[in-house]
Amino acid sequence: SEGVQPERILLLTFTRRAAEEMLRRATSLAAVDESLTRRIWGGTFHATGNRLLRIYAKAAGLSPEFTIMDQSDAEDFLNLARNDMGLSTKKKRFPLKSKCLAIYSRRVNSDDSLETVVKKDFPSYADWIKELTLLFREYVERKQRQNVLDYDDLLLYWYQLLQEETIRKTIDIRFDHIL
């Protein structure tokens, strides 16, 4: 309503429902044609990360045709590596695929060492740190070989992309308002 071009606005939130509500409110507040508000960059952090990574894939070291795994797919993908490495057949029970992904995700998102994450948040798996390290390395390598990303990767690659000054400035000048 004050003359800001819709594509110069970025709305970010955590859930799809909240993103839809933000866009609905922007449309009603601006009292403009709905087709204009469709040009607003709005969505979840993951959706925005996906959109930016598609645009700047090469700079992020990705192919623009990457595939995104949901949590269930990521657990299954990790479980394949877990099984191939013989970790699911140990005498002492190795963490299940869902727990492995939870540990991996906490490690990636906290930026703490794996040892710190396990000791702090998953102490019952402290005996498996060496094997978890190898498993997570294999998981990452397989994702890279197969051009797939999990939800954590969308944020991680986006963050890494913003560490590149030229790309960061290019993205920065794209938006006048970030909410």
Side-chain angles (χ1 to χ4, degrees):
S1 66
E2 295 182 14
V4 175
Q5 295 298 311
E7 56 275 0
R8 311 259 324 140
I9 300 171
L10 173 61
L11 304 175
L12 292 167
T13 189
F14 293 97
T15 67
R16 285 187 205 153
R17 177 179 280 164
E20 291 167 3
E21 179 65 16
M22 282 176 35
L23 290 169
R24 186 193 65 71
R25 288 181 185 187
T27 301
S28 68
L29 286 172
V32 295
D33 182 355
E34 190 174 318
S35 66
L36 285 177
T37 55
R38 284 192 198 125
R39 295 183 358 224
I40 294 174
W41 279 58
T44 64
F45 287 95
H46 292 99
T48 302
N50 177 31
R51 188 171 179 186
L52 288 169
L53 289 173
R54 299 274 179 203
I55 294 169
Y56 301 104
K58 283 200 187 287
L62 298 168
S63 166
E65 294 83 31
F66 63 82
T67 302
I68 302 169
M69 298 184 289
D70 64 19
Q71 183 168 343
S72 175
D73 291 336
E75 285 177 1
D76 291 344
F77 196 85
L78 182 63
N79 198 45
L80 287 173
R82 181 177 164 270
N83 290 335
D84 290 349
M85 295 173 71
L87 297 172
S88 59
T89 59
K90 296 284 187 185
K91 283 185 181 181
K92 185 178 173 194
R93 188 171 179 114
F94 191 76
L96 297 173
K97 64 183 182 179
S98 60
K99 194 58 73 175
C100 287
L101 189 63
I103 295 168
Y104 173 80
S105 184
R106 181 74 51 89
R107 160 67 186 96
V108 168
N109 288 298
S110 71
D111 204 30
D112 288 333
S113 71
L114 179 60
E115 187 172 348
T116 299
V117 167
V118 170
K119 286 182 178 178
K120 179 182 168 196
D121 301 313
F122 304 92
S124 61
Y125 301 117
D127 293 343
W128 294 110
I129 291 174
K130 179 181 175 186
E131 290 83 356
L132 287 166
T133 299
L134 296 172
L135 173 62
F136 296 156
R137 184 175 299 135
E138 179 65 19
Y139 175 63
V140 169
E141 288 172 3
R142 287 181 183 208
K143 287 189 299 179
Q144 290 172 343
R145 279 194 307 267
Q146 296 186 30
N147 199 33
V148 296
L149 303 179
D150 59 29
Y151 288 152
D152 292 324
D153 291 328
L154 292 172
L155 303 179
L156 184 63
Y157 276 92
W158 180 12
Y159 174 79
Q160 290 174 345
L161 187 66
L162 293 176
Q163 303 315 299
E164 176 65 40
E165 186 176 353
T166 306
I167 300 297
R168 183 177 61 250
K169 286 181 179 179
T170 301
I171 294 171
D172 183 49
I173 62 173
R174 181 181 287 261
F175 303 109
D176 294 327
H177 303 279
I178 300 175
L179 306 161

